[in-house]
């Protein structure tokens, strides 16, 4: 199972940008578009996860136990959001 993080995605996207700008051997445009599409899907998925955590925190009011189907095999305990939008 992949252990990639959103910071890894950012790194891959910058590598893609650098490859596109390479005048001697630019990346194929179709490949760059495929990378963009996968990256957008990952970003959208992360947004849904954050929205879920926020909603669950507002309902529970304290630490949120997130079901493992959202994050993989292990459960994560996440702090509930504060009134100002930060985390406890």
């Amino acid at each position: 199972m992949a252990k990639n993080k959103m910071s890894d995605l950012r790194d891959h996207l910058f590598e893609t940008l650098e490859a596109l700008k390479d005048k001697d051997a630019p990346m194929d445009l179709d490949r760059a578009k495929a990378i963009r599409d996968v990256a957008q899907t990952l970003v959208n998925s992360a947004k849904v996860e954050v929205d879920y955590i926020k909603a669950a925190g507002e309902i529970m009011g304290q630490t949120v136990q997130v079901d493992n189907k959202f994050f993989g095999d292990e459960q994560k305990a996440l702090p509930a959001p504060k009134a100002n939008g930060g985390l406890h």
Side-chain angles (χ1 to χ4, degrees), residues 42-54:
L42 292 170
V43 168
N44 291 343
S45 175
K47 287 179 182 179
V48 169
E49 291 173 11
V50 169
D51 289 345
Y52 171 80
I53 292 166
K54 286 179 181 178

Side-chain angles (χ1 to χ4, degrees), residues 46-67:
K47 287 179 182 179
V48 169
E49 291 173 11
V50 169
D51 289 345
Y52 171 80
I53 292 166
K54 286 179 181 178
E58 289 172 6
I59 292 168
M60 306 286 279
Q62 294 187 5
T63 300
V64 178
Q65 289 294 328
V66 179
D67 190 296

